[in-house]
């Protein structure tokens, strides 16, 4: 499920717009935090995955700032109460992940060897023998 959210954040899709707003707000906040209810298509997607109609909460906190202005390492937690289990119980559910993000929606370039990345991407796939 975490990979789905990460992929959605990387897309220009409106689905993750509300979550992106919380992430950017945490980068900008003096205390490095943002939180509240998640709404819109992203919340609907989450509810469909958990099979619970309860509200989806989001908490984001800044773990560290990069030298690049407007870039940070963030921890995002999505939470929901009363998520059904296979044995019929209803339990709280949370998913937590970390990501590097800049205000422009892209990851920071700090620490990335762009020459090495370019060489790796330009190599041909190994030929079959």
């Amino acid at each position: 499920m975490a990979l789905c959210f990460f992929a959605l954040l990387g897309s220009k899709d409106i689905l993750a717009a509300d979550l992106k707003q919380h992430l950017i707000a945490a980068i900008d906040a003096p205390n490095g935090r943002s939180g509240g209810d998640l709404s819109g298509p992203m919340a609907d997607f989450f509810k469909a995955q958990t099979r619970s109609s309860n509200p989806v909460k989001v908490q984001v906190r800044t773990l560290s700032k990069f030298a690049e202005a407007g870039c940070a390492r963030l921890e995002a937690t999505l939470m929901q109460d009363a998520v059904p289990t296979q044995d019929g119980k209803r339990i709280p559910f949370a998913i937590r992940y970390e990501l590097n993000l800049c205000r422009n929606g892209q990851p920071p370039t700090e620490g990335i060897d762009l020459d090495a990345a370019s060489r790796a991407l330009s190599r041909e796939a190994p030929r079959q023998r």
Side-chain angles (χ1 to χ4, degrees):
M1 189 181 255
L3 290 176
C4 292
F5 292 117
F6 188 70
L8 289 170
L9 286 174
S11 75
K12 301 220 182 280
D13 196 325
I14 189 109
L15 186 62
D18 191 46
L19 182 55
K20 281 183 183 178
Q21 290 174 4
H22 285 286
L23 295 167
I24 301 302
I27 292 172
D28 293 340
N31 68 355
R33 295 179 179 268
S34 176
D37 288 336
L38 193 64
S39 61
M42 187 68 170
D44 294 340
F45 175 80
F46 193 88
K47 289 175 184 180
Q49 298 302 305
T50 61
R51 298 177 325 276
S52 174
S53 61
N54 281 17
V56 179
K57 306 278 187 195
V58 60
Q59 291 179 349
V60 181
R61 71 182 181 111
T62 301
L63 299 174
S64 61
K65 296 272 187 173
F66 285 89
E68 236 176 294
C71 299
R73 176 99 180 145
L74 303 171
E75 176 188 76
T77 306
L78 301 175
M79 302 158 289
Q80 189 180 33
D81 289 328
V83 173
T85 63
Q86 289 183 344
D87 60 2
K89 296 180 183 175
R90 293 193 167 268
I91 61 170
F93 175 76
I95 187 165
R96 179 174 292 134
Y97 59 95
E98 295 180 12
L99 70 155
N100 299 334
L101 187 70
C102 298
R103 290 196 91 264
N104 65 5
Q106 298 298 310
T109 57
E110 183 178 326
I112 296 175
D113 183 345
L114 296 176
D115 288 333
S118 176
R119 285 190 305 274
L121 292 172
S122 66
R123 285 187 199 144
E124 290 183 5
R127 294 181 185 168
Q128 292 183 347
R129 296 178 187 170

